[in-house]
Amino acid sequence: MDLKVSLKEVPQYLKWKDSLLDLRYYFDTDTRYITLTRVFGPQLEYDLERYQIMDVQRLKQHYSVEIEKAEQQVYFYRVANMMFLFLFILAPAVALYFLQDDWFALVFALLFIFLMIFLVECFNQAYLNKFQKQLKDEIGLENAVHNKVIPFQQDEVKIQGSSATVLTNLYPEITDPDYKKGRENIIRFGLKENSIQPLITVNTSGK
């Protein structure tokens, strides 16, 4: 994933957040490798696997490498900033303070250092937020959910009141508490409150 953030984009991405994403990872201090342990919320990941909409484990393996690259980039910005501040701001200010008793230079240097650390961390946060947005766009969660279609036979559905339950050989039991009557036997899906809601349509022609 080729990711660059311009200074103009920092305010745009600084507060960006997606309610569906819940990126979490494990950092191995020995190998310094990152393993992505979560992409979405637990219920959403369970639904994606259960309804065979998305291979979440494959996603975690693929984007573990991408997150590792992003974290390395953030670490580089942080270290480069600290080295710059120490060599060109703090060290000269300390020298002036001891050689010329210039406390004003030291105070100014400390204030400038705090400001630069804050600005770089804001940039890093915007960088990580843009990474998450680009990752979500690449995954295409909404399209994958809305494009998933499961047809079923008439003898594979059981209707009780307003609820319908479908049981096929390829999928686990799928229940919709408020199914629709229509001209086809089909299951579609929708996103709702960090989970996936099945939408069952049952063919009622001839009844």
Side-chain angles (χ1 to χ4, degrees):
M1 186 184 299
D2 186 20
L3 181 62
K4 294 181 181 178
V5 179
S6 65
L7 294 178
K8 292 183 180 180
E9 292 179 310
V10 171
Q12 175 186 351
Y13 288 105
L14 189 57
K15 294 184 179 181
W16 183 90
K17 187 176 182 181
D18 189 278
S19 60
L20 296 176
L21 279 178
D22 187 18
L23 294 182
R24 301 190 185 190
Y25 58 84
Y26 169 74
F27 178 71
D28 192 322
T29 56
D30 295 328
T31 62
R32 304 194 68 82
Y33 290 148
I34 287 177
T35 302
L36 187 59
T37 57
R38 184 181 295 176
V39 180
F40 306 107
Q43 183 61 47
L44 182 53
E45 289 192 358
Y46 171 77
D47 291 341
L48 288 170
E49 294 279 10
R50 177 190 178 196
Y51 299 128
Q52 301 178 27
I53 298 174
M54 192 174 292
D55 188 346
V56 178
Q57 298 307 315
R58 184 189 62 81
L59 281 179
K60 291 177 181 179
Q61 293 176 359
H62 174 73
Y63 285 106
S64 289
V65 178
E66 299 298 336
I67 286 182
E68 187 174 324
K69 293 178 181 177
E71 288 290 346
Q72 288 175 350
Q73 192 66 34
V74 167
Y75 181 75
F76 169 78
Y77 291 144
R78 188 173 291 138
V79 171
N81 180 53
M82 295 304 295
M83 291 181 63
F84 168 80
L85 292 175
F86 177 78
L87 293 176
F88 297 101
I89 304 299
L90 182 60
V94 171
L96 288 174
Y97 175 76
F98 283 106
L99 296 177
Q100 300 182 9
D101 198 24
D102 190 350
W103 61 269
F104 178 78
L106 183 59
V107 172
F108 175 80
L110 292 175
L111 292 176
F112 183 79
I113 288 172
F114 288 130
L115 176 63
M116 285 300 298
I117 291 175
F118 173 77
L119 292 177
V120 169
E121 289 306 313
C122 287
F123 179 85
N124 283 340
Q125 188 61 56
Y127 179 89
L128 292 174
N129 288 349
K130 186 175 181 180
F131 168 82
Q132 292 185 70
K133 183 180 184 303
Q134 190 166 329
L135 179 148
K136 187 170 184 289
D137 291 343
E138 284 189 6
I139 292 175
L141 173 66
E142 287 84 356
N143 288 335
V145 172
H146 294 153
N147 292 336
K148 179 67 176 181
V149 176
I150 303 177
F152 59 90
Q153 301 299 319
Q154 195 73 20
D155 59 358
E156 294 176 324
V157 61
K158 181 179 180 181
I159 298 175
Q160 291 181 332
S162 62
S163 177
T165 299
V166 177
L167 185 60
T168 69
N169 294 328
L170 298 177
Y171 296 89
E173 182 179 290
I174 299 176
T175 300
D176 181 358
D178 189 20
Y179 80 97
K180 293 182 179 180
K181 297 179 180 180
R183 298 182 178 179
E184 57 184 353
N185 292 320
I186 198 168
I187 304 175
R188 297 185 184 275
F189 299 92
L191 288 168
K192 184 179 180 181
E193 298 178 355
N194 293 322
S195 64
I196 296 176
Q197 178 70 43
L199 310 170
I200 297 177
T201 302
V202 178
N203 183 358
T204 58
S205 61
K207 291 187 177 181

